[in-house]
Amino acid sequence: MAAPLKAVDGNADLQALMSELGTRARAAARVLALAPPEQKNRALEAMERAIRANAAAILAANAEDVAEARASGNATSSFIDRLTLTPARVEAMAEGIGNVRGIADPIGIVIESWQRPNGMTIERVRVPLGVVGVIFESRPNVAADAGVLCLKSGNAVILRGGSDSFRSCRAIHDCLVQGLREAGLPEAAITLVPTRDRAAVGMMLSGLSGAIDVIVPRGGKSLVARVEQEARVPVFAHLEGVNHVYVDASADLAMAKSIVLNAKMRRTGVCGAAETLLVDRAAAGKNLKPLVEMLLDAGCEVRGDEAVQKADARVKPASDEDWDTEYLDAIIAAKVVDGVDGAIAHIQDHGSHHTDAIVSADEAAAQKFLSEVDSAIVLHNASTQFADGGEFGFGAEIGIATGRFHARGPVGAEQLTSFKYRVHGTGQTRP
């Protein structure tokens, strides 16, 4: 077992600590890259048991975090919701670990194989990325999701949770380390930065002298902006979720109401929540008022354009800023647009390339929307709240990548891999 890390006292000690974390994670990554699927699955099974066995301790630690956040006076209701763990959420965390254990191990899979005219066989094979740095805010369950997905994909991970969820993450991390220990894997395979010092984030973004291979940010706009500005290693960009639901003129109203209400109100503080409702002008006379009234009656504030304001006196005027805002709260912007082309144009100007949905009975309109909206996830007749790796069958997710390189959409175990080429010859030389 590795020696315990020393307490941090000052910047010099922090630099030494972070350097040691990087060194240990790098060594752990070499072990994990060669670990057989059975050993990794034994660790995951033990982690799942540990989460359930220590649920009371996790909830107690979380209660302290939540109380501290409330006492600060700065926490919004949506922030508190993201921070809070409940018995059901802890159980979902354990189930998520079981789901990850149940998916196929991606490492060593031959993606493609072909033979050259000279008789050589070339294989493209999945391999781990190495060491993943995950920087996240508020939601402590990210510690479990990121930790187990990196383990499944043969990567070591360094987790830097938000200061608000420090105690919760530590309690969850203890369970993950217990699983590693039981399976005979290095404890540094899943490392939690043991300090709230924000300077640790900058050190991770620098790459820890080559120890970190990729950074995954999970948080608000300011965190993602800082990561993109300062990172010296590749980043799986996870931008804000300015997500839209467009209700086409052909949409079944009952279906539209169900989807819009779920997309906005199921959980307002998640990145898959809808933030803008777009309604086709051709059927606004039939669809607009029922949709707006439904949202208002459900406790959602509606900020709309002139047409939406006329539908209900409770609607507040929308500002230019509203079309670009991720509320993560019970607030939605609403606008009447000219058909599917108008919806696509609005999303192109104001969307964040995260998740957008169309509700339509017109197959041609749906196909146009799905083809032309440039987002990581596009849906037809389904809620944006399905923007989740678990719902995609990935077991869990480390985030939703909104960039265009390597991984896009939910980042699961498979997306946390790269590949290499294996070439088999019989003595060939190049003329």
Side-chain angles (χ1 to χ4, degrees), residues 8-233:
V8 178
D9 183 20
N11 194 57
D13 280 353
L14 179 60
Q15 287 181 330
L17 167 70
M18 297 303 292
S19 177
E20 178 67 13
L21 291 184
T23 299
R24 293 188 183 190
R26 199 83 223 165
R30 290 193 289 271
V31 175
L32 286 183
L34 301 175
E38 297 77 16
Q39 187 179 21
K40 291 185 284 185
N41 284 340
R42 284 201 305 274
L44 292 169
E45 184 178 10
M47 291 173 186
E48 183 181 356
R49 288 198 313 270
I51 291 288
R52 289 196 172 100
N54 294 280
I58 294 170
L59 291 169
N62 181 251
E64 292 186 43
D65 284 337
V66 172
E68 185 174 86
R70 290 188 190 278
S72 73
N74 301 319
T76 63
S77 59
S78 59
F79 179 89
I80 294 296
D81 176 65
R82 293 194 298 276
L83 176 62
T84 300
L85 291 174
T86 64
R89 290 180 182 179
V90 173
E91 175 58 26
M93 198 186 308
E95 289 179 359
I97 297 174
N99 291 337
V100 170
R101 180 165 51 89
I103 64 176
D105 193 299
I107 301 305
I109 298 296
V110 177
I111 306 168
E112 192 175 1
S113 176
W114 63 96
Q115 191 169 57
R116 298 293 297 147
N118 64 3
M120 288 194 314
T121 299
I122 302 176
E123 299 172 325
R124 185 183 294 123
V125 185
R126 290 199 186 281
V127 296
L129 294 171
V131 178
V132 180
V134 182
I135 303 169
F136 59 99
E137 298 175 335
S138 67
R139 292 205 297 189
N141 64 290
V142 173
D145 290 347
V148 301
L149 283 169
C150 286
L151 174 63
K152 185 75 175 187
S153 54
N155 297 291
V157 61
I158 299 175
L159 304 167
R160 203 292 182 177
S163 57
D164 301 284
S165 60
F166 187 74
R167 300 176 187 87
S168 307
C169 290
R170 191 164 53 190
I172 293 167
H173 179 251
D174 287 344
C175 298
L176 304 183
V177 169
Q178 182 177 328
L180 292 169
R181 194 179 297 134
E182 287 189 29
L185 289 169
E187 295 179 19
I190 303 175
T191 297
L192 179 68
V193 175
T195 175
R196 298 189 186 198
D197 194 327
R198 292 181 181 272
V201 173
M203 294 177 188
M204 288 180 67
L205 296 179
S206 73
L208 298 181
S209 300
I212 294 178
D213 295 288
V214 64
I215 290 284
V216 181
R218 285 288 303 271
K221 201 170 186 177
S222 59
L223 170 65
V224 175
R226 180 185 178 187
V227 169
E228 292 192 322
Q229 182 177 1
E230 297 183 23
R232 296 294 179 265
V233 293

Side-chain angles (χ1 to χ4, degrees), residues 216-261:
V216 181
R218 285 288 303 271
K221 201 170 186 177
S222 59
L223 170 65
V224 175
R226 180 185 178 187
V227 169
E228 292 192 322
Q229 182 177 1
E230 297 183 23
R232 296 294 179 265
V233 293
V235 175
F236 282 173
H238 177 108
L239 299 181
E240 58 189 344
V242 183
N243 307 321
H244 302 75
V245 178
Y246 165 61
V247 179
D248 188 54
S250 67
D252 175 81
L253 180 57
M255 180 191 291
K257 290 173 69 175
S258 175
I259 289 173
V260 170
L261 185 63

Side-chain angles (χ1 to χ4, degrees), residues 279-310:
V279 178
D280 191 345
R281 192 180 308 278
K286 173 174 69 79
N287 293 336
L288 182 59
K289 185 176 179 63
L291 288 166
V292 171
E293 285 183 344
M294 173 196 67
L295 288 164
L296 290 164
D297 291 345
C300 181
E301 178 181 318
V302 179
R303 302 177 184 178
D305 64 4
E306 187 176 348
V308 178
Q309 291 172 56
K310 289 179 180 178

Side-chain angles (χ1 to χ4, degrees), residues 217-392:
R218 285 288 303 271
K221 201 170 186 177
S222 59
L223 170 65
V224 175
R226 180 185 178 187
V227 169
E228 292 192 322
Q229 182 177 1
E230 297 183 23
R232 296 294 179 265
V233 293
V235 175
F236 282 173
H238 177 108
L239 299 181
E240 58 189 344
V242 183
N243 307 321
H244 302 75
V245 178
Y246 165 61
V247 179
D248 188 54
S250 67
D252 175 81
L253 180 57
M255 180 191 291
K257 290 173 69 175
S258 175
I259 289 173
V260 170
L261 185 63
N262 183 267
K264 177 69 256 186
M265 298 299 286
R266 173 189 166 270
R267 283 192 70 184
T268 59
V270 298
C271 66
E275 306 292 14
T276 300
L277 169 64
L278 303 174
V279 178
D280 191 345
R281 192 180 308 278
K286 173 174 69 79
N287 293 336
L288 182 59
K289 185 176 179 63
L291 288 166
V292 171
E293 285 183 344
M294 173 196 67
L295 288 164
L296 290 164
D297 291 345
C300 181
E301 178 181 318
V302 179
R303 302 177 184 178
D305 64 4
E306 187 176 348
V308 178
Q309 291 172 56
K310 289 179 180 178
D312 194 295
R314 294 172 290 175
V315 175
K316 297 181 179 180
S319 67
D320 290 342
E321 191 176 81
D322 283 313
W323 310 121
D324 302 304
T325 299
E326 182 185 33
Y327 301 108
L328 297 175
D329 205 347
I331 306 169
I332 195 168
K335 183 179 184 180
V336 173
V337 295
D338 293 317
V340 67
D341 288 314
I344 293 169
H346 179 94
I347 293 168
Q348 182 176 326
D349 290 342
H350 301 284
S352 59
H353 307 289
H354 192 294
T355 301
D356 298 292
I358 179 173
V359 185
S360 177
D362 183 338
E363 191 63 32
Q367 286 303 318
K368 183 179 180 67
F369 186 94
L370 297 177
S371 297
E372 297 186 20
V373 171
D374 182 25
S375 294
I377 304 170
V378 286
L379 306 102
H380 176 207
N381 290 344
S383 169
T384 59
Q385 297 258 346
F386 283 106
D388 178 89
E391 296 297 329
F392 274 49

